[in-house]
Every structure is written in C-alpha cells, then in structure tokens.
Amino acid sequence: MNTPIVDFLEKYTASDTVRCHMPGHKGKNGIYRYDITEIKGADSLFEADGIILESEKNMSMLYNTKASFYSVSGSTLCIQAMLFAMKQENRKIIAVRNAHRAFINASALLNLDVDWILPDYRTGILSGRIDLQQVEDKLKATENGCLYVTSPDYTGRMADIKSLAEICHRYGAVLLVDNAHGGHLAFMPENMHPIAIGADICCDSAHKMLVGLTGSAVLHTSSEKYARILRQCMSIFASTSPSYLILASLDLCCKYIDEKIKDDILKNLQYISDFRNDYKGLVLSEGDPFHITMNTAKYGYNGNEFAENLRKNGIECEYSDDNTVILLMSPVNKADDYTRISEALETSFETTYINNIPDMPFLKKLPQKAMTIGQALYMPCEEISIEHAEGRICASVKVPCPPAIPIAVSGEIIDSSCIEIYRRYGIKRVMVIK
Ligand SMILES: Cc1ncc(COP(=O)(O)O)c(C=O)c1O
C-alpha cells in the first residue's frame, strides 16, 4: 500500500528547504523534521483533496467504509463530531452509562440531554451487559433517536452490535459506537468491527489497539449521508494546526494493516489462547481477546497490590482496581512478552497477600437528575471532598483516566451510593455546583 503522507514528508525533509513557515522549531533536528504545516502539496486536513484524502481513502478501503476521517485529537474529537451530527438532526441521545468522559464532556458542550441506559453491571462501573429489550423499549418511545454504545468496553466486553443495529434501524435510529478500543476488530478471523456489523458511525483510537501515535484516531461511517458532513463536524472542534507526525502515523497504520496485521493477529491469538489456558478462571473468557482482564479478587488478591507486584517484575498494566487487573495487548506483541507476563504473574501469586476482597460497587439505579449535563457545566462550581458531597449536584465530571468512566454525571444529585463508589475507585474530591 502507498503511504502518500509519509512519502511527502520524506521528500520535503530531504530537500533541505529553508522553512519560512510554521512551526517555529523549523524542523532542525530528529523527528522535528517531519513536523510541518499545510505547505503546498501537504494538503489540509479539513479541506482534504490531496495526500491526506488519498491516505484516508486507503483507510476507508481497508475498513470497507463509506468514508473514514483522520483525527489527531483522538477518539475524543470523533465523539464530539458524531454527537454534533446528531444535534444537527435534533436526535435524542440514548446512551449506555459506562461511557467515557469524552462523551460526557461532548454532551455538555453540545447541551445534549442524555437518556441513560444502565447496563447490567457485574463488578464495578467499567462493564455490563446491555439488555436488548430495554434498548428496544426506549427506541420505540423515542421519535428521532440515536443510540450510543461503548464497545469493546474497558474490560474488553463487546456489545451485541449486530442486534443493536437491527433494533436501531427498525425504529429509524442511528447507531453510534465508541470503538476506541477496537480498531483491530476488522482484521480478526471473523470481522467484528462495528461498521462491518451494522453501526452507522464509529470511532477507533489508532493509538490504542493499532500502531498510531498517541492522539491518532479515525472516524468511520457506513452512511453516505454522514460521509458528506462528518469532516465539517470534526473541524468545528479541532485545532487548525493538525500534527503531521500523527497524520503520518495514520498513514503508516494503513500500511501495517495492509501488509501485516492479519498475520500478527493470528500469532497473538495463539499466544493469548495459550496464556488463557494457563490461567483459566483468573482471566475473563468473554469479549475481545486482546483485553486480558483478570479477576484477581476471586483468588483473594487485591488487584492494585497485584498490579504493583507485576510492576516490580517489569510489567506495567493498563488498569487495576481492588478486584481487577487489565493487561492490554495488541497485534504487535511478541511471544516473549507473554512469557515475561507469565513469569511476573507467578512471582505476583507468591508475593501478593491473600485477603477477602469485597466486590467493586456499581450504580444500581441512576442518581436523581437536577438539570441537564450542559446546564450543569456552565454553573459556578467548587471542588469539595466526597465526604461532604451527598445531596450536592455534580458539576463537570472529573474522574481519573483510566478508566475515566463517570459515576454521577454533571447535573445529577450525588447520593450515598455514588459516594461509596467514589471511595472504592480512589476518588477523593468532586466538582459540585455552588
Ligand atoms: C472507551 C474510550 N472512549 C474514548 C476514549 C477517548 O479516546 P482518545 O484518548 O483517543 O481521545 C477513551 C480513552 O481512553 C476510551 O477508553
């Protein structure tokens, strides 16, 4: 596959041109040489008709989409753009609650009034099963709706996108998927990418499961109508100075996908399957295999202590809490990585103190709503200890990343169960309305 952005950068870098243009570092050293602005021939992200468009078309062909648009501001920008498109159509947003804070912030900026679906949580707020009947009941009662789902979620659990798409389309609703964790899914032995199985719009963070630089993401659509407007929707929120380093990494992502990803995925699926067999019971068996989610509490190990012991043995986890440790693998991991993880796990079993660990709490019902997310964002607010927060209205959400999944969202009244969840997730202070 050709790499038009990288080729242009290499040619320009080799030309020894005096750079009488931005950026101020003038490309004097190392990787800075590739960091350019929209000079002639370099195209322009939000008016793309040259090398960027060519590269995006490569991406679109690989994912078999109607159109794919590059983001240098992560899936966060893609989520803002997809919600903006829904707002233009005056659609009512129905969203599954374990959404990333990027969704909450975008909803606040766009002053959207979100209708939540609580998933059937098992342990903690990261993951839960979506009840299809509940989705159908909501959509039936919503005239001009859209459904927002996070899949894979932080633990790797995947929603039944095919059925959700079928239900959405039956009621004239649009299916939006936060597929930030699922850019590789199109190249699994069975294509499980949201666009392939019915989603209308989805975002993939190329920096999470693919080989893009941090900040790289792609907004995909299967719809002719949204293909025409999404670039403009993105431009509303984005910087006018997109990073060519990040764009070049998306270009290289296409090449990697075209030439190597399927083989790499097959190799890793074998390593992961062997690993899972060795640690049956500890590793959750459902969902995306590249998310190795371990229920350490089941064996009496506190996940945070376990993760600390893994760290001492050279393994840095994606996420841990009292119950769970998540290792996030990708197609580029090598056999040796799994060997090192196994060795570190064995040491951690020996060195982590065994105790009785209560399950992580989760929301059993939605907190009472005092105002919309958008109204809450613009009210005067203050930061207080969670110990004094009962009865106060949540202002902007301030939850640590990872997992960046909110407990009470802006405009909701913080109740005692929210406070218990804050405590267990180590959140000590919250923003509330004055
Ligand atoms: C589920 C989910 N959605 C969206 C995002 C935001 O993605 P990005 O960091 O690419 O902006 C994240 C980031 O962690 C995420 O985990």
Side-chain angles (χ1 to χ4, degrees):
M1 174 158 281
N2 67 339
T3 49
I5 302 175
V6 173
D7 296 351
F8 178 85
L9 291 174
E10 279 180 345
K11 197 165 153 217
Y12 186 58
T13 298
S15 72
D16 198 27
T17 304
V18 180
R19 298 189 183 190
C20 302
H21 59 75
M22 292 184 269
H25 56 65
K26 305 296 176 195
K28 294 290 182 201
N29 293 303
I31 57 164
Y32 287 86
R33 290 180 305 143
Y34 295 99
D35 185 39
I36 62 163
T37 186
E38 291 100 334
I39 55 173
K40 189 165 166 42
D43 208 358
S44 173
L45 181 55
F46 296 112
E47 300 82 32
D49 60 4
I51 57 171
I52 295 176
L53 183 65
E54 194 181 342
S55 183
E56 286 178 333
K57 281 189 171 162
N58 285 341
M59 189 66 91
S60 169
M61 192 187 68
L62 293 165
Y63 282 86
N64 197 16
T65 63
K66 272 281 173 302
S68 300
F69 302 100
Y70 286 172
S71 161
V72 299
S73 311
S75 282
T76 300
L77 173 65
C78 303
I79 292 166
Q80 290 166 339
M82 60 170 98
L83 292 180
F84 183 78
M86 295 302 104
K87 171 123 183 166
Q88 279 187 326
E89 295 181 348
N90 205 18
R91 287 186 183 268
K92 173 85 189 153
I93 314 283
I94 299 165
V96 182
R97 179 73 171 202
N98 59 333
H100 189 265
R101 77 169 178 225
F103 171 80
I104 312 294
N105 290 338
S107 301
L109 286 172
L110 292 164
N111 200 14
L112 302 174
D113 190 12
V114 178
D115 188 3
W116 292 106
I117 290 182
L118 266 191
D120 177 11
Y121 291 115
R122 297 291 151 91
T123 67
I125 57 168
L126 269 51
S127 180
R129 204 178 51 78
I130 302 171
D131 177 8
L132 295 180
Q133 190 56 53
Q134 204 187 343
V135 171
E136 175 149 11
D137 292 346
K138 283 236 187 245
L139 288 173
K140 210 186 272 182
T142 308
E143 207 164 284
N144 186 28
C146 92
L147 178 71
Y148 180 93
V149 176
T150 306
S151 174
D153 66 22
Y154 218 82
T155 68
R157 180 195 293 273
M158 307 229 279
D160 180 354
I161 297 293
K162 210 170 175 175
S163 302
L164 289 171
E166 193 275 314
I167 298 170
C168 280
H169 297 153
R170 190 155 11 112
Y171 294 98
V174 176
L175 178 60
L176 309 176
V177 181
D178 173 350
N179 185 52
H181 286 237
H184 59 304
L185 294 175
F187 312 103
M188 299 285 272
E190 184 190 346
N191 184 346
M192 295 188 286
H193 192 265
I195 291 293
I197 51 179
D200 297 284
I201 306 177
C202 85
C203 60
D204 300 2
S205 292
H207 63 98
K208 292 192 198 299
M209 306 303 294
L210 302 171
V211 293
L213 285 177
T214 297
S216 60
V218 185
L219 183 60
H220 298 288
T221 181
S222 56
S223 143
E224 196 78 64
K225 175 170 71 163
Y226 297 121
R228 283 196 293 272
I229 62 164
L230 283 175
R231 194 189 298 283
Q232 170 63 10
C233 297
M234 292 174 96
S235 75
I236 307 276
F237 303 96
S239 163
T240 50
S241 307
S243 158
Y244 272 83
L245 287 176
I246 299 177
L247 291 174
S249 82
L250 283 161
D251 206 25
L252 290 174
C253 247
C254 291
K255 190 171 163 64
Y256 172 71
I257 288 170
D258 187 42
E259 293 173 6
K260 281 198 85 191
I261 200 169
K262 282 193 173 165
D263 283 351
D264 280 357
I265 283 181
L266 284 181
K267 277 187 211 147
N268 271 272
L269 286 179
Q270 187 56 54
Y271 306 144
I272 294 169
S273 156
D274 294 346
F275 181 85
R276 280 172 189 265
N277 276 336
D278 290 346
Y279 298 102
K280 261 200 201 104
L282 178 68
V283 180
L284 293 192
S285 56
E286 55 191 335
D288 168 43
F290 285 87
H291 288 70
I292 299 183
T293 298
M294 300 186 283
N295 183 351
T296 56
K298 191 167 144 192
Y299 295 91
Y301 302 110
N302 178 296
N304 287 322
E305 287 171 22
F306 201 84
E308 190 52 43
N309 284 328
L310 286 175
R311 184 173 295 120
K312 283 183 191 147
N313 290 285
I315 307 296
E316 186 67 39
C317 306
E318 168 67 23
Y319 171 82
S320 70
D321 59 35
D322 287 353
N323 284 208
T324 304
V325 173
I326 300 176
L327 308 173
L328 195 61
M329 311 311 287
S330 96
V332 303
N333 279 109
K334 300 280 179 258
D336 181 51
D337 297 332
Y338 296 89
T339 310
R340 289 187 56 195
I341 296 168
S342 297
E343 286 164 4
L345 275 181
E346 295 304 326
T347 315
S348 301
F349 288 134
E350 284 161 22
T351 50
T352 311
Y353 188 66
I354 295 198
N355 219 328
N356 192 11
I357 297 142
D359 278 348
M360 292 299 279
F362 50 82
L363 286 178
K364 302 207 172 52
K365 63 178 180 47
L366 289 169
Q368 203 187 326
K369 183 167 137 187
M371 59 185 80
T372 67
I373 297 174
Q375 284 163 341
L377 183 73
Y378 294 101
M379 301 283 274
C381 63
E382 59 183 334
E383 191 178 307
I384 60 167
S385 157
I386 58 160
E387 304 306 334
H388 303 120
E390 189 168 350
R392 300 291 299 271
I393 301 171
C394 177
S396 54
V397 289
K398 196 173 161 231
V399 276
C401 189
I405 296 170
I407 293 157
V409 309
S410 317
E412 288 177 347
I413 301 173
I414 296 169
D415 58 25
S416 57
S417 74
C418 294
I419 293 175
E420 199 215 332
I421 304 173
Y422 285 138
R423 277 196 202 108
R424 287 294 300 284
Y425 278 92
I427 296 167
K428 298 200 166 47
R429 299 182 71 75
V430 282
M431 302 291 290
V432 294
I433 290 172
K434 265 191 186 162

